[in-house]
Amino acid sequence: MKTERIIMGIDPGTNVMGYGVIKCVGQKAEMIAMGVIDMRKEDDTYLKLGHIFERVTGIIDEYLPDELAIEAPFFGKNVQSMLKLGRAQGVAIAAAIQHSVPIHEYAPMKIKMALTGNGSASKEQVAGMLQRILKISPDDMPKFMDATDALAAAYCHFMQTNAPISGGKKYSSWKDFAQKNKDRVS
């Protein structure tokens, strides 16, 4: 008996926040939705946070995720930017908590490593890998990489929580994985 799970991913942002939703059954995952919450036209920081809460709540209400995977803020050179990003992440987390959705946080490097095998992969490399793994047509690829980053967080969580406990296949590399799982990677 295969259990179905819905995992929502969030790539926090104060101007553009990405989201992605996947459905997982057994060892397979498929994309249900991905997009962005665009707040570039809003000047007021607090209204942006309110908009994030409303939209994340709406996405949760629409797709009813079993779990939320969110990208952790990373420390850059600008402390103010990190604080703003942390607020946006906190508001998205609050929306999930309000709906009793368990939250899992992943560092950007961990997400990139899980998808590409390279912790410093580019956004384009991550998007390309997702496109192949989830069989997303070029027409369905988003304009903003924030959406694919969010989908990557969801897929990273799927990979982290779906690993066989024992007796599963062992892989020596991503190439080895791809060769032994042609039905999962194109």
Side-chain angles (χ1 to χ4, degrees):
M1 184 172 136
K2 293 184 178 181
T3 319
E4 182 179 297
R5 292 189 298 158
I6 303 293
I7 302 172
M8 179 176 168
I10 294 277
D11 177 35
T14 54
N15 288 318
V16 178
M17 178 177 278
Y19 68 89
V21 183
I22 59 174
K23 176 171 78 171
C24 313
V25 179
Q27 296 291 318
K28 296 198 185 253
E30 70 177 83
M31 182 191 73
I32 296 176
M34 75 172 147
V36 295
I37 301 167
D38 190 347
M39 297 153 294
R40 292 174 298 167
K41 291 182 182 173
E42 182 58 62
D43 291 329
D44 186 293
T45 302
Y46 302 107
L47 290 177
K48 284 182 180 187
L49 296 174
H51 187 68
I52 290 168
F53 187 83
E54 288 171 4
R55 286 288 292 124
V56 171
T57 295
I59 295 164
I60 290 171
D61 287 340
E62 183 174 354
Y63 296 106
L64 304 172
D66 297 296
E67 299 172 88
L68 174 75
I70 192 163
E71 187 175 300
F74 59 95
F75 180 74
K77 293 179 183 173
N78 188 333
V79 176
Q80 286 299 317
S81 294
M82 186 176 160
L83 287 171
K84 288 177 185 176
L85 191 61
R87 287 178 180 167
Q89 183 198 38
V91 169
I93 288 170
I97 289 169
Q98 183 184 33
H99 287 78
S100 301
V101 176
I103 299 140
H104 307 274
E105 187 177 54
Y106 294 95
M109 188 177 279
K110 173 94 173 176
I111 294 169
K112 291 174 182 181
M113 181 65 87
L115 266 290
T116 68
N118 176 2
S120 43
S122 69
K123 288 178 174 286
E124 292 79 11
Q125 289 171 314
V126 170
M129 187 61 79
L130 281 169
Q131 188 175 4
R132 285 187 290 283
I133 292 170
L134 297 174
K135 297 174 178 48
I136 303 168
S137 77
D139 294 339
D140 291 333
M141 291 303 286
K143 175 181 160 186
F144 292 100
M145 295 279 178
D146 307 81
T148 51
D149 284 353
L151 195 64
Y155 195 80
C156 172
H157 182 65
F158 164 70
M159 291 176 66
Q160 296 299 307
T161 59
N162 215 43
I165 296 170
S166 64
K169 293 180 186 175
K170 303 266 191 249
Y171 306 104
S172 60
S173 66
W174 277 102
K175 183 177 179 182
D176 184 37
F177 172 84
Q179 289 173 338
K180 293 177 181 174
N181 292 279
K182 291 184 181 180
D183 61 322
R184 295 174 65 190
V185 179
S186 61

